[in-house]
Amino acid sequence: GIYNAMSSNGIFTNMTKRNIQHVHIFAIDNALVKPADPTFIGYCMEQNADCGNKVVWKSEAHEKVGVIAEKFGKPCVIEYSELSSEMAEATSTTSSTKLVYGAANICNHYYTLSFLTDVILPNQGKMYHIATKKIPTLDNEKPNQNNGVKLESFIFDVFPLSTKMAILEVDREDEFAPVKNAPGLQLSDSPDTANEKMSVLAMKWLKDVGAILLQDNDNDDNGGKDGDLLLCEMNPLTSYGGEGLEK
């Protein structure tokens, strides 16, 4: 897994030599991820956390994402396949619309280097996640339903080892555009939907500082019809999170 790979390739040793104390690990399939997010890292440092997880709120009760929860007094991620319909739809006692299990895990994690080297590495062999799978057998090479159990090790299975975990909720419109399916706007979580979400966010940043976009101009001269989809991309070297665009 990732932790063994980092260790065996000398990454932890290199980090130690460079006096790196804080590590940000995230999924590559999120087009809106903020690498080395100062807000997230700063929050975890302020909380004196050894581990942190950035979450977004689920779009609906049965969205196919894992959720952050507490099990036997320890932080963990519960996969959507492990939630019963009753659990997935459960709402807070103080709000009939707020889900109990609504904090979606988006694979956006913080660790102290000491937590990675001194806690995770010696204990990761004990960390397994039960996953029901379609497993080919001698008499059924392509089962059409789950027929077996696998012990898998996910990156978040180390969360219960944390003694002080920080959870930061962010707006999914600002920080979550996953790419999991084939191209096509008609599909969810596709390259096209991620591109659209990136464009919407970039346009929002520009409008916030008073920019006028061709899409909003009735007398546009872009050669297209009013209301045509306008895609906008922000170079991350120009602005990381919408700052500095006034110039």
Side-chain angles (χ1 to χ4, degrees):
I2 182 173
Y3 305 115
N4 272 334
M6 293 176 74
S7 177
S8 61
N9 284 278
I11 294 175
F12 292 146
T13 301
N14 180 270
M15 287 180 173
T16 301
K17 288 180 179 178
R18 295 163 61 194
N19 198 32
I20 292 174
Q21 302 175 34
H22 310 279
V23 182
H24 185 203
I25 297 178
F26 50 85
I28 197 172
D29 63 357
N30 180 7
L32 287 180
V33 71
K34 291 183 174 180
D37 179 11
T39 299
F40 180 42
I41 295 175
Y43 173 73
C44 292
M45 292 173 62
E46 184 181 62
Q47 297 296 310
N48 197 30
D50 54 12
C51 183
N53 194 32
K54 187 184 286 191
V55 301
V56 299
W57 209 251
K58 289 170 67 173
S59 59
E60 52 94 13
H62 295 283
E63 182 181 5
K64 292 184 176 181
V65 289
V67 294
I68 192 74
E70 189 175 274
K71 188 175 183 179
F72 304 123
K74 298 288 186 178
C76 69
V77 170
I78 302 175
E79 284 287 68
Y80 67 88
S81 58
E82 299 174 303
L83 289 175
S84 65
S85 292
E86 183 180 4
M87 292 174 67
E89 296 168 5
T91 55
S92 168
T93 55
T94 58
S95 172
S96 60
T97 58
K98 191 173 182 66
L99 296 170
V100 172
Y101 299 100
N105 174 53
I106 58 173
C107 194
N108 198 319
H109 313 317
Y110 160 90
Y111 308 90
T112 61
L113 183 58
S114 59
F115 181 65
L116 287 166
T117 57
D118 301 342
V119 179
I120 291 179
L121 283 181
N123 293 284
Q124 64 173 332
K126 306 171 186 176
M127 300 286 105
Y128 289 101
H129 205 91
I130 296 176
T132 55
K133 298 283 185 177
K134 297 175 183 177
I135 302 175
T137 61
L138 185 62
D139 58 351
N140 186 0
E141 294 184 359
K142 294 183 178 180
N144 55 17
Q145 60 184 6
N146 294 334
N147 63 340
V149 173
K150 285 186 177 181
L151 293 180
E152 297 182 339
S153 184
F154 296 143
I155 189 171
F156 52 73
D157 283 333
V158 300
F159 285 0
L161 297 174
S162 172
T163 57
K164 182 67 182 297
M165 187 162 189
I167 308 296
L168 180 66
E169 181 186 344
V170 296
D171 291 333
R172 65 189 299 146
E173 293 79 9
D174 294 339
E175 299 199 36
F176 191 48
V179 179
K180 298 182 182 298
N181 296 313
L185 279 171
Q186 72 278 11
L187 299 174
S188 63
D189 299 342
S190 72
D192 297 275
T193 58
N195 191 30
E196 184 179 37
K197 289 176 181 178
M198 291 173 64
S199 177
V200 168
L201 182 60
M203 287 191 281
K204 175 181 179 296
W205 289 347
L206 291 169
K207 289 180 179 179
D208 285 346
V209 296
I212 298 175
L213 305 179
L214 292 177
Q215 188 182 33
D216 301 326
N217 191 342
D218 290 336
N219 299 313
D220 67 53
D221 57 357
N222 66 345
K225 298 179 180 178
D226 293 343
D228 279 355
L229 180 63
L230 177 67
L231 292 178
C232 178
E233 183 176 358
M234 183 65 64
N235 187 326
L237 297 179
T238 299
S239 182
Y240 179 82
E243 77 291 341
L245 296 176
E246 296 83 358
K247 303 176 182 179

